[in-house]
Amino acid sequence: MAFRITYSALNANMDELHLELDQAIVGVKKTLGQEYPCQINAKEVRTGKLLENRNPSLIEQVLGRFHVAGAPQVDQAYQAAHEAYKSSWGNTPWQDRAKLLRKAADLISERRLEIAAIMILEVGKSRLEALGDVEEAADLIRYYVQQIEDTQGFKRQMGKLSDNENAISVLRPYGVFSVIAPFNFPMALSTGMAAAASTAGNTVVLKPSDDAPWSAYKLYECMRDAGLPAGVFNVLFGQGAETGELMVKHPLSDGVVFTGSKEVGMKVLRNAVTDFPKPVLLELGGKNAAFVCATADLEKAVEGCVRSAYGLTGQKCSALSRVFVHASKKDQFVAAFIKRAKEIKIGNPEKKETFMGPIINERALNRFLAAVETAKKDGKILCGGSDLRKSGGDFAHGLFVEPTLVEVPTSSSLFRDELFAPFLALTTFADLKAAIAEANKSQYGLTSGIFSADEGELEYFFDHIECGITYANRKTGATTGAWPGVQSFCGWKGSGAGGKGGCGPYYVAQFMREQSRTVMS
Ligand code: NAD
């Protein structure tokens, strides 16, 4: 594969890659239905209680069965991670940690086709999205390792109050980090959070989403094969409300890094911090808005909005879910948008032409259908809105819905609640300042985009929109498509805690605590 896939790749020649992916899909399908144990202290742990992982494109297909960790296994994992932190990893020179993690990144890159094929099956990602997820995972490790290399282990010479005083500041790990990941970027997010924690010298207990455990198992294999010592990287499978809750409440959990919904994130925060403060890094949901101004290049705006609203079936935290269109452009925008949305290839993402795969599970599908009913009540459906299972054929076996555009007033709940579905709410505006103020009423503050040829409008947008990730005039994605070392991914307000984003230059330091060392001579 000669070129790199990112989420913003538009016109890559994918022919050779498609052939390789075809073979990889055939390969992983030969392993369907296997059992996967939890991995604790470099040992396979079977509990007999199994979680079924199903293909959302073909719901009768069981991809694998994962052993669910209960209280004894959770305890075993934290004891092992604590021991590994104390006896080795926490004191391993950062250069040695960096070397092992770089090796893991190389293994992820080497195995990208197999891992992408798995994500196509377990999350229903399009081929391009799946490959982007794997490439991002490897790049995240490299970018985070570079942060400890650039700072030579986060050590700094400090000032002197007297000639015989030598003071330095050094960042040191906390201990064991609980890492809890969502389903939608099962490689990149599990890898990024775990790699930052372990680059910093913490050991890790990871729980992937119960909708995407297979990718995390592959990540474990890469970490293991890279030579990470026993106990440094442990993986538990299970439901959030059971296994996840036991993890964050465990007394040997010294910190938590969580990516997922705001609702669950707030629960995690309350459960993790009881007796005394601990770091709890949260990256949460979004209700992301784009503004299409009177001077916008409409072709760019339509393409950017369609890609961000419907890429990964609208299941990105950065997905576009609210669009404010200048009243003078509404008719043109809506007509061009509907035409473009109708061109979207929906279907099983094993097929190379598919842009939009299924939605992840029945719960998400019902949320989509309820939103359609709300739109009918509060406003009108401009395109889409159907449950495609009813149209039969390939669609009958998976959780497929139509890309949907609705027009509703901003007072509608469809302008407020995160849906995590291919569902975009539209309204018009006359005054950009008022539209931005309206968008800022959201409790979320993740991503936002603008299409305008007016420098003054762009400046006003950047200065006043309350979001951590902003884009202007981006055809490859109005609000989506961040990349490590390029776009820091920092949720404001209800979209995150920590104030420094993943993919960004300050991320690894958040997994460390400062120690001041003064030596008198
Ligand atoms: P979710 O919140 O339902 O689950 C996330 C993880 O938390 C899963 O592993 C789940 O099993 C676990 N969990 C559930 N209840 C728990 C509990 N009580 N204690 C501990 N763990 C628990 O999210 P999801 O549906 O997997 O993912 C979609 C959400 O993630 C969306 O809200 C999306 O915006 C958000 N997200 C945010 C970012 C970001 O960087 N800001 C990135 C991706 C996804």
Side-chain angles (χ1 to χ4, degrees):
M1 187 163 66
F3 56 89
R4 246 160 40 112
I5 296 291
T6 69
Y7 308 115
S8 306
L10 259 185
N11 299 315
N13 178 352
M14 301 262 295
D15 291 347
E16 187 194 338
L17 193 54
H18 279 308
L19 287 175
E20 291 174 345
L21 256 178
D22 286 340
Q23 288 164 5
I25 292 170
V26 171
V28 298
K29 278 188 166 175
K30 288 186 182 145
T31 68
L32 292 188
Q34 287 183 2
E35 281 188 19
Y36 296 87
C38 294
Q39 295 288 346
I40 303 174
N41 211 14
K43 292 194 185 69
E44 299 190 342
V45 176
R46 292 181 165 74
T47 62
K49 185 176 171 195
L50 295 172
L51 178 92
E52 253 177 15
N53 184 25
R54 286 177 181 267
N55 181 347
S57 303
L58 206 60
I59 42 176
E60 60 268 31
Q61 186 175 66
V62 175
L63 303 174
R65 294 181 176 85
F66 292 77
H67 286 258
V68 171
Q73 295 76 34
V74 170
D75 189 49
Q76 204 182 333
Y78 280 88
Q79 297 289 353
H82 178 73
E83 186 52 34
Y85 167 71
K86 287 274 182 205
S87 65
S88 64
W89 195 246
N91 297 312
T92 299
W94 61 264
Q95 294 89 338
D96 296 349
R97 296 199 302 262
K99 211 166 164 186
L100 291 174
L101 285 156
R102 279 199 184 277
K103 173 88 180 133
D106 291 344
L107 289 174
I108 290 172
S109 291
E110 263 174 38
R111 299 173 188 179
R112 62 190 148 202
L113 291 164
E114 182 201 6
I115 301 171
I118 286 171
M119 279 190 281
I120 289 168
L121 298 182
E122 80 171 346
V123 183
K125 286 193 173 219
S126 72
R127 290 173 170 222
L128 202 118
E129 289 284 351
L131 282 163
D133 194 335
V134 190
E135 297 270 14
E136 186 186 2
D139 268 15
L140 278 167
I141 298 184
R142 295 183 186 112
Y143 185 58
Y144 293 155
V145 165
Q146 201 190 324
Q147 288 176 22
I148 207 155
E149 291 169 344
D150 288 349
T151 55
Q152 294 291 293
F154 289 103
K155 232 181 218 175
R156 272 178 93 129
Q157 184 65 49
M158 303 297 279
K160 279 179 193 294
L161 290 178
S162 63
D163 285 349
N164 62 342
E165 179 182 56
N166 184 24
I168 60 168
S169 156
V170 55
L171 296 191
R172 303 191 58 198
Y174 282 94
V176 181
F177 253 84
S178 305
V179 179
I180 299 186
F183 77 85
N184 64 337
F185 286 87
M187 259 317 268
L189 290 171
S190 298
T191 306
M193 292 188 285
S198 26
T199 299
N202 304 285
T203 54
V204 160
V205 181
L206 164 72
K207 192 198 83 63
S209 161
D210 39 303
D211 281 317
W214 198 3
S215 318
Y217 195 87
K218 291 290 150 185
L219 169 61
Y220 170 78
E221 289 178 346
C222 293
M223 294 290 196
R224 178 197 65 196
D225 296 348
L228 262 72
V232 171
F233 187 80
N234 307 278
V235 182
L236 302 178
F237 301 110
Q239 306 280 353
E242 294 160 29
T243 312
E245 212 159 305
L246 287 166
M247 286 171 60
V248 299
K249 286 180 174 170
H250 197 281
L252 291 177
S253 170
D254 298 300
V256 181
V257 56
F258 170 90
T259 305
S261 61
K262 174 176 161 287
E263 187 195 349
V264 175
M266 291 305 293
K267 225 182 265 175
V268 164
L269 182 64
R270 291 188 193 104
N271 283 335
V273 182
T274 47
D275 298 346
F276 58 87
K278 291 178 184 180
V280 182
L281 309 174
L282 305 174
E283 293 292 345
L284 308 175
K287 188 72 191 171
N288 310 300
F291 305 89
V292 179
C293 300
T295 58
D297 174 331
L298 265 195
E299 192 226 325
K300 261 192 202 164
V302 166
E303 186 62 24
C305 289
V306 165
R307 288 174 66 87
S308 286
Y310 306 136
L312 188 50
T313 318
Q315 300 169 116
K316 293 187 185 183
C317 53
S318 54
L320 176 66
S321 59
R322 301 181 288 167
V323 63
F324 294 77
V325 182
H326 192 271
S328 66
K329 290 277 183 179
K330 181 192 155 188
D331 293 346
Q332 270 174 288
F333 178 85
V334 168
F337 187 98
I338 293 174
K339 181 168 176 284
R340 180 67 186 86
K342 288 194 167 151
E343 287 164 11
I344 286 178
K345 294 273 186 283
I346 309 166
N348 189 324
E350 285 181 40
K351 293 184 182 157
K352 63 182 182 187
E353 62 276 13
T354 295
F355 175 80
M356 205 178 101
I359 203 159
I360 191 69
N361 54 33
E362 291 273 353
R363 220 172 42 250
L365 189 119
N366 290 335
R367 201 166 54 226
F368 169 87
L369 295 176
V372 170
E373 292 313 308
T374 305
K376 286 180 190 160
K377 224 169 359 95
D378 292 356
K380 60 181 176 211
I381 305 221
L382 299 176
C383 78
S386 298
D387 175 351
L388 288 171
R389 288 178 302 182
K390 291 181 183 146
S391 45
D394 280 357
F395 291 138
H397 304 283
L399 306 173
F400 295 99
V401 298
E402 275 186 316
T404 299
L405 177 69
V406 304
E407 185 173 11
V408 287
T410 54
S411 55
S412 166
S413 62
L414 299 173
F415 259 84
R416 187 188 63 221
D417 302 334
E418 185 184 42
L419 290 170
F420 229 53
F423 194 102
L424 178 61
L426 176 142
T427 191
T428 55
F429 70 88
D431 171 29
L432 180 64
K433 290 183 184 175
I436 290 176
E438 181 62 38
N440 282 342
K441 286 183 187 164
S442 172
Q443 58 179 336
Y444 293 107
L446 197 55
T447 71
S448 189
I450 185 168
F451 293 89
S452 168
D454 180 327
E455 289 290 334
E457 283 186 335
L458 297 187
E459 203 176 314
Y460 187 87
F461 164 76
F462 285 127
D463 287 346
H464 292 86
I465 191 76
E466 293 169 359
C467 285
I469 307 109
T470 57
Y471 301 97
N473 297 322
R474 196 147 168 278
K475 182 179 177 181
T476 53
T479 58
T480 49
W483 200 257
V486 184
Q487 284 91 12
S488 302
F489 208 78
C490 177
W492 289 13
K493 307 197 301 190
S495 294
K500 313 281 182 302
C503 294
Y506 314 109
Y507 192 60
V508 175
Q510 297 182 100
F511 292 81
M512 306 176 91
R513 52 191 168 177
E514 191 173 12
Q515 185 176 54
S516 164
R517 296 178 174 179
T518 300
V519 178
M520 307 304 291
S521 58

